[in-house]
Amino acid sequence: MRPVGISNDFLGEDGTNLWGDIGLGALDEAGIPWEYLPENVSVLRPSDIDGRPAVLFAAPAVDTSTFDGVQDPPLLLARFGVGYDAVDLDAATAAGVAVTITPDGARRPVATAALALILGGLLNLGIKHELVRRDRWGERAQWMGRGLTGSTVGIIGFGNTATDLSRLLAPFDVDILAYDPYCAPERAAEFDAALVDLEELAARSDVIVVMAALTPDTFHLVDEDFLDRMRPTALLVNVARGPIIDENALIAALSTRSIRAAALDVFENEPLDPGSPLRRLENVLLTPHSIGWTSEMSLGNGSSAVRAIIDATSGRAPQFVVNEAVLRSPRWASLPT
């Protein structure tokens, strides 16, 4: 059996882990050998996974080609992060491979990042930074910020990370609206959030935060119609996935000031095109899909993925399996407990 594989994108040019401590010491303590994969690839290859008990990966995608000709597929592909839109779950399930994510490791860092973008967007942090850098001090009175206290915050996708955000927002005495077809009203009520439909959330919110997973149902969920319903004083924040927002419609809304501002960590195409109008608009705060990247997230995500690997290699079903059907397959059902 080959060692557990760790995707090569974790490594910097000097050969050290760019993310710092991601909890790999727990594999050593459990007596599980591991190694970094030899090459940085955009899609995991059959040679990267064949014969390994598990692979911990971050940036690479997983598609049907990943499993082509694989004789001994891993039990587990453990994703370092919560998004799995670049993973072909059907292909993994057909190969008998479980896929896990790390919501327990990412929830507080992403919630904190969302709060940072809310405050940065309301306070016009991006343009105020430029006023100093570009000797435009005299324009500062033109960029009066808005307060968060007492406002209404609408959250699209009310999962664990969103509930963490609701806790962080509590000192600001905000009213929280949530849109999530899969969230029970009583669960939302636990966090002082009111479930509403998408149209009401758009119309009533001073701040809207996108925290949903990218699925066919959420693609362009925030479209021209949604943006038209938003208040002209409202801020739109996205810490989820870029394609949930129709970017062209957003650019139009920001250009005409039909909404006040946006704070975006993610985009429809990444990296953001050099010619994108978002780069020139002054009512946008931009970060490069890394606002939540902190030492807290590194250790949290890594430790969660490592726990999944230890469970899988010990014959236990790990937490946070996103293709749960695989656990009913003969391969998993036959594992010792």
Side-chain angles (χ1 to χ4, degrees):
M1 183 70 71
R2 299 168 72 189
V4 166
I6 313 297
S7 62
N8 188 273
D9 56 288
F10 282 101
L11 294 178
E13 292 182 0
D14 62 356
T16 61
N17 196 308
L18 293 166
W19 289 81
D21 182 7
I22 63 170
L24 296 175
L27 291 177
D28 297 324
E29 293 172 7
I32 299 173
W34 59 273
E35 64 184 7
Y36 289 104
L37 299 181
E39 295 181 54
N40 193 352
V41 296
S42 59
V43 181
L44 287 179
R45 304 167 302 185
S47 60
D48 295 323
I49 69 168
D50 203 356
R52 298 187 186 277
V55 174
L56 193 165
F57 70 107
V62 175
D63 62 20
T64 55
S65 71
T66 302
F67 304 98
D68 283 348
V70 171
Q71 299 299 309
D72 184 12
L75 281 169
L76 177 69
L77 295 177
R79 173 135 210 291
F80 181 92
V82 295
Y84 53 91
D85 45 284
V87 178
D88 188 328
L89 296 182
D90 290 338
T93 302
V97 178
V99 178
T100 56
I101 56 174
T102 58
D104 52 337
R107 59 190 291 182
R108 180 50 61 97
V110 174
T112 303
L115 178 59
L117 285 180
I118 291 170
L119 293 172
L122 289 175
L123 297 173
N124 297 321
L125 189 62
I127 184 58
K128 287 179 178 178
H129 175 74
E130 290 300 309
L131 294 185
V132 177
R133 283 172 53 92
R134 301 182 183 280
D135 196 25
R136 294 167 56 188
W137 194 278
E139 298 177 35
R140 58 185 178 156
Q142 300 173 27
W143 293 97
M144 191 68 65
R146 286 180 56 87
L148 177 58
T149 302
S151 63
T152 298
V153 177
I155 303 176
I156 299 175
F158 205 66
N160 290 331
T161 305
T163 58
D164 260 27
L165 175 61
S166 70
R167 292 191 180 101
L168 296 178
L169 288 169
F172 295 95
D173 296 320
V174 300
D175 292 323
I176 298 177
L177 305 178
Y179 170 77
D180 190 328
Y182 304 100
C183 180
E186 54 270 23
R187 182 176 183 276
E190 289 179 26
F191 299 93
D192 297 319
L195 284 179
V196 296
D197 61 31
L198 202 60
E199 291 77 12
E200 183 175 353
L201 184 141
R204 290 179 53 192
S205 299
D206 300 299
V207 176
I208 294 171
V209 187
V210 179
M211 306 190 83
L214 176 60
T215 68
D217 289 335
T218 61
F219 178 79
H220 282 189
L221 188 68
V222 177
D223 58 9
E224 182 179 2
D225 181 65
F226 182 98
L227 293 162
D228 285 344
R229 293 175 186 272
M230 285 178 60
R231 295 179 174 184
T233 54
L235 167 71
L236 179 63
V237 175
N238 192 358
V239 292
R241 287 291 186 268
I244 297 174
I245 297 177
D246 181 337
E247 204 162 277
N248 288 331
L250 175 60
I251 289 168
L254 291 166
S255 299
T256 60
R257 301 294 177 108
S258 64
I259 66 170
R260 178 179 174 274
L264 309 171
D265 187 51
V266 290
F267 308 93
E268 285 216 55
N269 295 292
E270 297 180 358
L272 184 62
D273 190 293
S276 171
L278 289 174
R279 291 174 175 259
R280 301 188 299 273
L281 291 167
E282 293 186 322
N283 54 341
V284 187
L285 178 61
L286 307 173
T287 56
H289 200 155
S290 62
I291 185 67
W293 290 11
T294 62
S295 57
E296 181 183 19
M297 175 179 274
S298 296
L299 186 56
N301 277 353
S303 296
S304 178
V306 165
R307 282 194 299 273
I309 291 170
I310 293 172
D311 283 342
T313 55
S314 301
R316 299 186 297 268
Q319 280 190 295
F320 311 123
V321 175
V322 290
N323 57 335
E324 292 184 355
V326 78
L327 300 179
R328 298 188 292 274
S329 69
R331 189 169 188 234
W332 276 88
S334 64
L335 286 177
T337 56

